[in-house]
Amino acid sequence: MRVLPVEAAGRRSLNLRGVVTRVEYWLTGSKFESSLIYYALAKENYPNDYARMVKLRLPAYVKLTLADEFPRTKVTMRLGGGRGIYYGPFVRRGSAEAFETGFLDLFQLRRCQDTLLPRSDHPGCIYGEMNRCLRPCQQAVGVSEYANEVKRVADFLSSNGSGLLQNARTARDGLSEEMQFEAAAREHKRWEQIQQVLSLRDDLACDIERLYGVAVTPSLAPGAVRLWFVRQGVWQPVQEFPLQSHVSLDQRLRELVNAGETASASTLDRQEHLAILAHWRYSSWSDGEWIRFPSLTEVPYKKLVHAISRVHRIEESP
């Protein structure tokens, strides 16, 4: 071992041979499992310094600040700090900012960061002049009217844009059938704009309340894989899943999901769990397979069975 060399003469590197009395180690089946064990051990033994030790980098989110009278969005690296919808995690802050700028062009939400004190003689801003803001600062709309636009934004984030995309497609097709081709072309352009905005999302980005999924990784046990479920951005206890059985994989997976106990977490723990997920998923060394789904009642079992088979084949290959 590098830190326990027999001879240390002329070496300036760390040598713990005269200090260490025993060495404990954990065998793991994947780099992902190693990273989770390292995180858990560092947090247990070094509660004041574990984040630096494991190089825990917090990802970015776009937050809709629902606690405000006139909600707005902002990019943040931390969860908490008032009621809101968190959309992410993004690889880096710049990715979150690009998505925020893009999707706000689809709505008329305010972009100013100030606490609003609406009055009729408020100078407003360029977005109000361009009709990209409802101008609550100038009392052009009231709280209830602004809340309707906030609901549209919240629906967009919660549904990953599917509702707005479907509305644009339905409007385009209806106008085409009525031979209103100019109006249909405008709706098609809007549909393309929505698609372009959605293409700015990173792989994991969604409303974190709907961030469900499972990581499939190799296991040390022969003929098995390990399943690491995520529920609303929180890692659940690992499940050892043997492949050999007289019961089909599909049926056993359904029984496992239905019988699984749910583990909750504090806001801080959830923030760190999401950071671990993002670090693994967005890294160049990401191993195993990741299957995402919007809830435990919508698990794509066929895709999960195929992912398990692929991981097991890789595990068995020389």
Side-chain angles (χ1 to χ4, degrees), residues 195-249:
Q195 287 276 42
Q196 184 177 4
V197 169
L198 294 177
S199 71
L200 298 173
R201 298 171 300 175
D202 288 332
D203 181 56
L204 293 172
C206 66
D207 176 358
I208 63 172
E209 294 297 326
R210 294 177 62 81
L211 205 170
Y212 290 78
V214 57
V216 184
T217 65
S219 170
L220 289 174
V225 297
R226 292 198 143 193
L227 303 179
W228 312 77
F229 283 91
V230 170
R231 178 183 180 273
Q232 294 178 312
V234 177
W235 290 106
Q236 305 298 297
V238 61
Q239 302 285 344
E240 190 79 22
F241 190 77
L243 275 66
Q244 298 299 323
S245 174
H246 65 280
V247 182
S248 69
L249 287 181

Side-chain angles (χ1 to χ4, degrees), residues 34-256:
S34 296
S35 68
L36 279 181
I37 290 177
Y38 182 39
Y39 161 75
L41 290 173
K43 189 169 186 176
E44 178 183 354
N45 293 285
Y46 301 95
N48 298 322
D49 201 33
Y50 69 92
R52 183 193 62 81
M53 293 179 62
V54 302
K55 299 180 180 179
L56 193 65
R57 299 180 180 88
L58 300 181
Y61 305 88
V62 175
K63 179 184 179 182
L64 178 61
T65 59
L66 297 177
D68 294 348
E69 185 178 34
F70 295 100
R72 57 181 175 83
T73 63
K74 68 176 183 179
V75 174
T76 180
M77 309 290 280
R78 298 185 180 277
L79 307 183
R83 188 168 59 94
I85 293 177
Y86 291 86
Y87 192 90
F90 288 87
V91 176
R92 56 185 65 87
R93 188 180 185 92
S95 301
E97 291 173 345
F99 175 77
E100 180 192 32
T101 299
F103 97 82
L104 283 177
D105 286 341
L106 303 173
F107 302 97
Q108 291 183 293
L109 212 65
R110 73 183 181 98
R111 307 195 190 202
C112 53
Q113 303 295 304
D114 305 326
T115 300
L116 284 191
L117 299 173
R119 64 181 193 274
S120 57
D121 61 342
H122 194 286
C125 69
I126 186 64
Y127 292 106
E129 297 296 327
M130 297 168 62
N131 200 31
R132 292 188 177 184
C133 175
L134 290 176
R135 297 183 295 145
C137 58
Q138 296 176 317
Q139 298 180 325
V141 297
V143 174
S144 61
E145 294 170 289
Y146 190 82
N148 291 332
E149 188 70 358
V150 172
K151 184 179 183 304
R152 293 181 63 233
V153 173
D155 290 343
F156 175 84
L157 296 176
S158 297
S159 69
N160 251 345
S162 60
L164 194 64
L165 199 63
Q166 180 60 40
N167 291 341
R169 183 188 299 115
T170 301
R172 179 197 62 190
D173 295 345
L175 290 167
S176 295
E177 291 176 2
E178 296 171 3
M179 293 189 293
Q180 299 183 40
F181 298 119
E182 290 186 5
R186 287 194 294 271
E187 286 298 329
H188 180 70
K189 186 174 182 180
R190 177 171 173 78
W191 180 83
E192 289 181 327
Q193 183 184 10
I194 298 169
Q195 287 276 42
Q196 184 177 4
V197 169
L198 294 177
S199 71
L200 298 173
R201 298 171 300 175
D202 288 332
D203 181 56
L204 293 172
C206 66
D207 176 358
I208 63 172
E209 294 297 326
R210 294 177 62 81
L211 205 170
Y212 290 78
V214 57
V216 184
T217 65
S219 170
L220 289 174
V225 297
R226 292 198 143 193
L227 303 179
W228 312 77
F229 283 91
V230 170
R231 178 183 180 273
Q232 294 178 312
V234 177
W235 290 106
Q236 305 298 297
V238 61
Q239 302 285 344
E240 190 79 22
F241 190 77
L243 275 66
Q244 298 299 323
S245 174
H246 65 280
V247 182
S248 69
L249 287 181
D250 183 277
Q251 181 178 337
R252 287 193 293 131
L253 284 170
R254 293 177 187 273
E255 292 173 352
L256 178 65

